[in-house]
Amino acid sequence: MNHRITFAVATAAFALGIAAAGAQETGTATTTAKPMSTSLVSITPEMLEKAGGDAKNWIHSNGNYSNTRYYPGAQITAANVGKLVPKFVFQTAVLESMETAPIVINGVMFLTTSFNHVYAINAATGEEYWHYKHKMGPITTFCCGPNNRGVAVLGDMLYMGTLDAKLVALEAKTGRLVWEKQIADPDKGYSETMAPVVVDGKVLIGTNGGEYGIRGFVKAFDAKDGNLLWTFYTIPERPKACGRQTI
């Protein structure tokens, strides 16, 4: 008997002008389309450690802590890959580019778009559970598009960096905003498009903004309450003046 292999496709339209893109910059909390799937489970540190061998879920933006992006599943092979056909098309509300790496937990997909929208959808049917729209601050500074590359997950929470240089924590089941922390000052050129990484109860995130002469860093925030735990600077402080000479 012949079995057709199907796959899900998430699409986003491209903006035709600056005005159209700018219209997406502000959001208003979360809207709910249908009750969350009962299959959604909490993600434990052990699951994150063993993600490289998990053929059912995709719980790191790059697949595992080694960032190999390797998927250990065996359903799609060289023999049947030619039979892949679209199963559904999910259209986002954001008219911009999409560079996200979706997270999948027991058939629930979490994906982000430009301008920091987050969707929870059914990975098999494309049905939407909820849609979070980040309320952007008055200043955003980014050079190469308003993209977002995904969320990190731990327990019942999702974590996302934003274009206005914030870190937000969302409840995975509802999309409710749990806490929000300022990472750096967007007025100085800082922004966030990368997906955070969760390790040992800490949310780790670096920064964008090298085009504007910012000081690079990696910061660790407590996954439970968002409190800043430590900062490691990847670039030294500005040189200090000594007499007439700058050293």
Side-chain angles (χ1 to χ4, degrees):
M1 179 167 133
N2 250 340
H3 294 283
R4 291 197 310 172
I5 305 300
T6 60
F7 67 98
V9 178
T11 64
F14 288 88
L16 298 179
I18 294 175
Q24 306 295 333
E25 289 191 27
T26 58
T28 53
T30 306
T31 56
T32 302
K34 63 178 297 184
M36 173 55 67
S37 167
T38 56
S39 297
L40 183 66
V41 297
S42 295
I43 298 300
T44 65
E46 291 74 23
M47 292 171 70
L48 291 171
E49 287 283 352
K50 298 177 180 179
D54 187 351
K56 185 177 182 180
N57 302 302
W58 188 266
I59 55 179
H60 290 276
S61 59
N62 287 324
N64 50 56
Y65 281 128
S66 298
N67 295 318
T68 62
R69 300 187 182 183
Y70 174 75
Y71 175 65
Q75 183 183 13
I76 299 174
T77 67
N80 63 30
V81 67
K83 299 177 183 179
L84 288 171
V85 296
K87 180 67 174 180
F88 67 80
V89 175
F90 178 75
Q91 180 67 58
T92 75
V94 182
L95 305 179
E96 251 294 348
S97 59
M98 180 178 284
E99 298 183 5
T100 190
I103 295 295
V104 180
I105 305 171
N106 277 10
V108 179
M109 179 183 290
F110 299 97
L111 59 97
T112 65
T113 73
S114 291
F115 299 109
N116 298 120
H117 290 225
V118 187
Y119 290 89
I121 68 173
N122 185 314
T125 66
E127 294 177 284
E128 181 182 316
Y129 295 118
W130 54 257
H131 173 198
Y132 168 78
K133 309 171 191 178
H134 175 63
K135 186 173 177 60
M136 207 71 68
I139 297 173
T140 56
T141 307
F142 52 91
C143 81
C144 312
N147 305 299
N148 184 271
R149 294 180 175 85
V151 298
V153 58
L154 177 66
D156 299 315
M157 303 277 280
L158 307 174
Y159 304 93
M160 175 179 65
T162 69
L163 286 178
D164 54 349
K166 293 178 181 177
L167 180 65
V168 299
L170 306 176
E171 191 176 72
K173 291 182 179 180
T174 65
R176 178 179 68 89
L177 178 65
V178 178
W179 53 256
E180 177 180 281
K181 298 292 181 179
Q182 193 73 50
I183 299 173
D185 186 352
D187 196 30
K188 294 180 179 179
Y190 290 95
S191 65
E192 299 290 348
T193 62
M194 70 185 70
V197 175
V198 177
V199 181
D200 193 25
K202 303 174 182 67
V203 185
L204 308 183
I205 193 165
T207 184
N208 296 13
E211 301 81 7
Y212 304 106
I214 56 87
R215 187 183 183 193
F217 59 72
V218 177
K219 292 189 176 185
F221 295 84
D222 190 299
K224 292 181 180 178
D225 55 25
N227 288 334
L228 178 64
L229 300 175
W230 52 257
T231 301
F232 174 79
Y233 287 102
T234 59
I235 295 180
E237 291 183 296
R238 290 181 179 275
K240 297 180 179 179
C242 181
R244 294 183 179 181
Q245 186 178 8
T246 299
I247 61 174

